Amino acid sequence: MVKVVASFTMSLDGFIAGPNISRDHAMGEGGERLHQWLFDDESDMDRKMAQEMSGRVGAVVLGKRTFDVGLQHWGDTPFPAPSFVVTREKRDPLQMKSAAFTFVDSGVENAVAQAKMAAGGKDVVVMGANVAQQLLTAGLVDEFVLQLAPVLLGQGSRLFEGIGKNQIELKCTRVVKSPLVTHLRYEVI
Amino acid sequence: MVKVVASFTMSLDGFIAGPNISRDHAMGEGGERLHQWLFDDESDMDRKMAQEMSGRVGAVVLGKRTFDVGLQHWGDTPFPAPSFVVTREKRDPLQMKSAAFTFVDSGVENAVAQAKMAAGGKDVVVMGANVAQQLLTAGLVDEFVLQLAPVLLGQGSRLFEGIGKNQIELKCTRVVKSPLVTHLRYEVI
């Protein structure tokens, strides 16, 4: 079964980006701090976890804002896999070096359905807090893969915001402490 | 040196209590879920961690609301240690079975100073999100001891709210996965 996996680096106070996200600050102002663990070349464990994650990506579902601010930075699809952008705009597919962006104007659930078909048995990875929140409330997220960064940002975009008032039970399936972050994996029950 | 330790069970979405905290719902509505790990007698590891925590408590600083909603539930001081309630009210000490509540009307910093004197070399433990937030922004929290519960509450009181817009760096000093929660310890840098 193809799994839908929401993967984010989150500050201990719940932010996955700083405020004022823009093309110049794709992670929001000060949000680059979150991804230090990916770029500081200190830890074999972190490298291994990032590689494991990348290796499982069969397709990507991402929001239009994530696409807009990320495209220049990636210069390609975010992972070398078919990528489905949730948008209201009708737009032709955009072929990149590794794969294509397909623009889905019929809602997140359809984007996920298309991504599952394209994932070749691997995971569908969700990027963008807003899309993740919509999928979570629709009961369509199977797993969260989080890297908990030891920092309080104080402001920015929260991963878990506007997800409704019903308690959602998770099952923690993995905890790995690395020098730079804590890697957490949860199944949504 | 006496350390000031803020210890909380937090949902993955950052809440340490549900909404509408009252004497009947000291943890807020639905917030009891957070403390399941303390009462479900399933895990030796959780019991050990709770005992280790209790054993280190030399004094407590708590907010007035935490005092008001907790008193009946505890029937004593929350831990068997001198407890300092931050309040605007002038009020005589209240002797309980194990120790006394002292009411401090001169601010959180003074409450911490008094608690440090009374802690006998052990930790000063902070209870109540509001007091923890005030102490954090005043640079007076040395450590966070968190139990991360595998649940999304969706609403309630957040631990890290209104803590200013400056990034605060932490150092993760311990991660322990138990069957019911993930135990995390951070030093504030």
Side-chain angles (χ1 to χ4, degrees):
Chain A
M1 198 199 75
V2 175
K3 277 194 258 185
V4 178
V5 178
S7 177
F8 292 92
T9 301
M10 183 171 87
S11 67
L12 186 63
D13 54 348
F15 296 104
I16 56 158
N20 305 318
I21 292 170
S22 65
R23 283 189 177 83
D24 288 344
H25 292 281
M27 293 292 295
E29 288 166 25
E32 302 78 15
R33 165 66 186 85
L34 294 172
H35 285 175
Q36 239 174 52
W37 72 277
L38 277 169
F39 302 111
D40 285 21
D41 220 71
E42 280 180 41
S43 157
D44 285 346
M45 175 56 76
D46 288 324
R47 215 168 12 243
K48 202 185 119 197
M49 298 297 282
Q51 282 166 358
E52 182 195 276
M53 176 70 206
S54 308
R56 285 178 51 173
V57 180
V60 177
V61 172
L62 67 164
K64 180 57 165 41
R65 189 169 75 159
T66 305
F67 170 79
D68 283 338
V69 302
L71 186 60
Q72 189 185 336
H73 173 67
W74 303 317
D76 198 350
T77 47
F79 294 90
S83 298
F84 297 83
V85 182
V86 180
T87 175
R88 292 185 186 168
E89 205 182 330
K90 281 198 188 302
R91 186 167 161 182
D92 290 333
L94 176 64
Q95 182 64 46
M96 303 300 288
K97 206 166 42 186
S98 321
F101 287 106
T102 301
F103 299 87
V104 181
D105 66 350
S106 49
V108 284
E109 306 199 10
N110 276 313
V112 166
Q114 289 185 44
K116 282 186 164 182
M117 297 284 288
K122 291 182 169 182
D123 292 346
V124 171
V125 167
V126 178
M127 295 178 72
N130 191 267
V131 168
Q133 287 154 10
Q134 287 182 57
L135 289 174
L136 179 63
T137 49
L140 289 174
V141 177
D142 295 307
E143 284 191 3
F144 282 95
V145 173
L146 303 176
Q147 302 88 38
L148 196 62
V151 65
L152 303 172
L153 292 189
Q155 57 180 339
S157 305
R158 285 193 200 269
L159 175 53
F160 298 111
E161 187 87 78
I163 54 168
K165 298 178 172 181
N166 294 324
Q167 290 189 14
I168 298 173
E169 284 291 330
L170 308 169
K171 185 182 170 197
C172 183
T173 55
R174 188 163 69 172
V175 175
V176 174
K177 182 183 183 310
S178 85
L180 298 177
V181 287
T182 302
H183 297 270
L184 302 169
R185 181 181 284 271
Y186 292 93
E187 285 172 13
V188 180
I189 296 178
Chain B
M1 197 199 76
V2 175
K3 276 194 259 182
V4 177
V5 178
S7 178
F8 291 93
T9 301
M10 183 170 87
S11 66
L12 186 63
D13 56 346
F15 296 104
I16 55 158
N20 304 317
I21 292 170
S22 65
R23 283 188 176 85
D24 287 343
H25 293 280
M27 292 293 294
E29 288 167 23
E32 302 78 16
R33 165 66 186 86
L34 295 171
H35 283 174
Q36 239 173 52
W37 72 277
L38 277 168
F39 301 112
D40 285 19
D41 220 71
E42 282 179 37
S43 157
D44 286 346
M45 176 56 75
D46 289 323
R47 214 167 12 243
K48 202 185 118 196
M49 298 298 283
Q51 281 166 358
E52 181 195 277
M53 175 72 208
S54 306
R56 287 177 51 173
V57 180
V60 176
V61 172
L62 68 164
K64 180 60 163 39
R65 188 170 75 156
T66 304
F67 170 80
D68 283 338
V69 300
L71 186 59
Q72 189 185 337
H73 173 68
W74 303 316
D76 197 350
T77 48
F79 293 90
S83 300
F84 297 83
V85 182
V86 180
T87 176
R88 292 185 185 166
E89 204 182 333
K90 283 196 187 303
R91 184 166 162 181
D92 290 334
L94 176 64
Q95 182 65 47
M96 305 299 290
K97 207 165 41 185
S98 321
F101 288 105
T102 301
F103 299 87
V104 181
D105 67 349
S106 49
V108 284
E109 306 199 11
N110 277 313
V112 166
Q114 290 184 45
K116 281 186 164 183
M117 298 285 287
K122 290 184 171 182
D123 292 346
V124 171
V125 166
V126 177
M127 295 177 73
N130 191 268
V131 167
Q133 288 155 8
Q134 288 182 57
L135 290 173
L136 179 63
T137 50
L140 289 175
V141 176
D142 296 306
E143 284 192 3
F144 282 95
V145 173
L146 303 177
Q147 302 88 37
L148 196 61
V151 65
L152 304 172
L153 291 189
Q155 57 179 340
S157 304
R158 286 193 200 270
L159 174 54
F160 298 111
E161 188 85 79
I163 55 169
K165 297 179 173 183
N166 293 325
Q167 290 188 13
I168 298 173
E169 284 291 330
L170 309 169
K171 185 182 170 196
C172 182
T173 55
R174 187 163 67 171
V175 175
V176 174
K177 181 183 184 310
S178 84
L180 298 177
V181 289
T182 302
H183 297 270
L184 301 169
R185 181 180 284 272
Y186 292 92
E187 283 171 15
V188 181
I189 296 178

